[in-house]
């Protein structure tokens, strides 16, 4: 939508794959986002048609008087979401949105204005200008003369609405971002948090040192944060979780819990602007086509993901790995940094390789993914203490087993077919591709193996012993439908790999055989070995 002359070269795709593109590439990405949002505005003009002529003229007059603030509003992050909603709305609703936008840009441009707007929900958000609430009725008069604005109601004697102008946050002496605490669509990023004047100061006291940390400790990522972060939307939270989000239709807006520590705020800024970076690249040069039915396991998500979402995930998590590695280099005694690097490397690199054959990847997308895989190869050369690396492997195996038990299912009738072949001593049929259910796994068992492995990785508590294979097999035999028993078995020393790779197939086949043979059914490890092509 940004025009054929705006596209990325192969070399620029390589820069983006590094997570640290140069200034020319970043400038092109910002230009592309601005062009896309202007294109959506033009499409909205066409959708509304002649009834929108007055709004179009007002926007044009405002741009002639003060181009910079008008451009800021027209190309703001949520302008993409706005354009898509307007184009999907009936013409009369689209006209209302266009009239509101025109009034907003006129206010920011300082030109004279006298319009009546409808606000059926009792408040009116004028993007880039502010929020009027406490409305007496669904109509609000917006006037501006000589740069002085007044708000009114058509009913005499009614108090005017309350007006809250848009606010900004000073991230650095020469850099402000818009505080996105009024945009109604910010709800799509998570539960919003109301911000008082004192909270604005607290937000700046978090963002300023967080940005300084990005510049000092993670300088390769600083230009991307500076170029792409335009607005910040506060999320509700108490800082106990590293909560943040962004959206492909609000590229440049980062939502985060402002209660997090400074170093975590730095991580979240890096992580979410990487999402924006890849979104902006995708808007210029498609990285994925239609995903079709392909789905992949993302270690950080409960359910299978299509290729575009998977590519976003591995790309942004590559930056998270770099963050923890830089923390580790800065402080070799930082156990949290050591664990996060070891664990995330363990689960993210295989996810990159799993995505490589995806049919949905374009040539540009595959080139970018190959750049990520090269970064993964470089991480593999980083020394990690053997005990920590072992904990990371075991945690990765345990989580993959848990996910597969929830999301994978054997093909219809396959468990019966395999059981029959095994009991007849026939050759092993080739297992079919699993069905993917898209179900979130149950929460990890309290005190279970996954929680204990992560606690030990962080240096808390004792390191869990490797499960004894015989004891783990007995647990599965006693509790064949208990996920935790299968997770323990998959992480036991000497366990066949198929117990982690297709626990669903082993379990369903075993249940069929137990129904036929009772206690005489083979143990799970022997069945897994046969299914793998062994005995």
């Amino acid at each position: 939508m940004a025009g054929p002359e705006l596209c990325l070269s192969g070399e620029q795709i390589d820069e983006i794959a590094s997570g640290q593109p140069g200034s020319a590439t970043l400038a092109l990405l910002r230009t592309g986002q601005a062009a896309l949002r202007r294109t959506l505005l033009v499409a909205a003009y066409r959708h509304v048609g002649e009834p929108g002529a007055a709004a179009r003229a007002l926007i044009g007059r405002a741009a002639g008087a003060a181009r910079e603030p008008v451009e800021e509003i027209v190309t703001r992050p949520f302008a993409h979401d706005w354009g898509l909603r307007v184009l999907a709305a009936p013409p009369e609703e689209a006209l209302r949105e266009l009239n509101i936008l025109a009034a907003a840009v006129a206010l920011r441009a300082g030109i004279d204005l006298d319009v009546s707007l409808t606000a059926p929900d009792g408040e009116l958000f004028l993007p880039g200008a502010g929020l009027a609430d406490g409305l007496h009725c669904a109509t609000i008069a917006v006037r501006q003369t000589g740069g002085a604005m007044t708000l009114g109601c058509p009913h005499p004697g009614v108090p005017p609405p309350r007006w809250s102008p848009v606010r900004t946050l000073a991230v650095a002496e020469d850099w402000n971002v818009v505080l996105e605490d009024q945009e109604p669509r910010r709800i799509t990023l998570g539960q919003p948090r109301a911000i008082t004047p004192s909270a604005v100061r607290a937000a700046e006291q978090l963002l300023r040192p967080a940005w300084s940390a990005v510049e000092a400790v993670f300088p390769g990522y600083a230009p991307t944060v500076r170029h792409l972060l335009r607005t910040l939307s506060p999320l509700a939270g108490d800082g106990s979780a590293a909560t943040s989000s962004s959206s492909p239709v609000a590229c440049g807006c980062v939502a985060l819990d402002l209660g997090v520590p400074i170093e975590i705020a730095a991580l979240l800024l890096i992580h979410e602007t990487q999402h924006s970076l890849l979104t902006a690249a995708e808007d210029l040069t498609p990285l994925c086509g239609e995903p079709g039915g392909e789905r992949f396991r993302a270690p950080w998500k409960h359910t299978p993901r299509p290729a575009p979402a998977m590519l976003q995930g591995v790309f942004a998590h590559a930056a998270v790995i770099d963050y923890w590695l830089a923390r580790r280099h800065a402080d070799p005694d930082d156990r949290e940094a050591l664990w996060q690097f070891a664990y995330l490397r363990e689960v993210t690199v295989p996810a990159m390789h799993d995505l490589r054959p995806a049919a949905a990847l374009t040539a540009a997308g595959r080139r970018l993914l190959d750049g990520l895989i090269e970064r993964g190869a470089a991480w593999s050369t980083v020394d990690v203490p053997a005990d920590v690396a072992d904990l990371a492997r075991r945690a990765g195996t345990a989580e993959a087993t848990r996910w597969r038990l929830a999301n994978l299912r054997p093909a219809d009738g396959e468990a019966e077919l395999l059981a029959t072949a095994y009991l007849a001593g026939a050759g092993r049929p080739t297992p079919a591709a699993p069905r993917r259910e898209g179900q979130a796994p149950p929460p990890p068992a309290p005190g279970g193996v996954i929680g204990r492995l992560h606690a030990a990785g962080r240096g808390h508590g004792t390191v869990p012993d490797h499960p004894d294979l015989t004891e783990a097999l007995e647990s599965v035999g006693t509790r064949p439908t208990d996920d935790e028993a299968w997770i323990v078995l998959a992480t036991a020393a000497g366990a066949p790999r198929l117990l982690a790779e297709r626990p669903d197939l082993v379990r369903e086949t075993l249940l069929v055989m137990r129904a036929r043979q009772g206690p005489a059914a083979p143990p799970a490890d022997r069945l897994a070995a046969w299914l793998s092509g062994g005995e």
Side-chain angles (χ1 to χ4, degrees), residues 34-63:
L36 184 151
R37 293 160 190 173
R38 291 191 213 100
T39 301
L40 286 169
L41 177 58
V42 172
Y45 289 161
R46 293 172 180 161
H47 179 56
V48 171
E50 186 57 31
R56 292 197 302 272
L58 185 57
I59 292 173
R61 189 158 58 91

Side-chain angles (χ1 to χ4, degrees), residues 69 72-73 76 96-97 99-109 113 117-119 122-135 140 142 144 149 151 161-168 178-186:
E72 178 186 318
I73 294 174
R76 70 197 187 282
R96 174 181 174 273
E97 292 288 343
N99 285 334
I100 291 172
L101 178 68
V105 299
L107 290 175
R108 284 289 304 277
L113 173 70
L117 302 172
T118 57
E123 64 179 32
L124 179 68
F125 172 63
L126 292 158
L131 177 73
D133 65 353
L135 276 63
I140 179 173
V142 182
Q144 184 165 256
M149 181 192 72
L151 303 175
R162 292 183 297 271
W163 175 248
S164 302
V166 69
R167 295 175 289 184
T168 60
V178 172
L179 176 63
E180 197 74 272
D181 65 334
Q182 298 174 336
E183 164 65 62
R185 293 288 293 175
R186 72 192 190 280

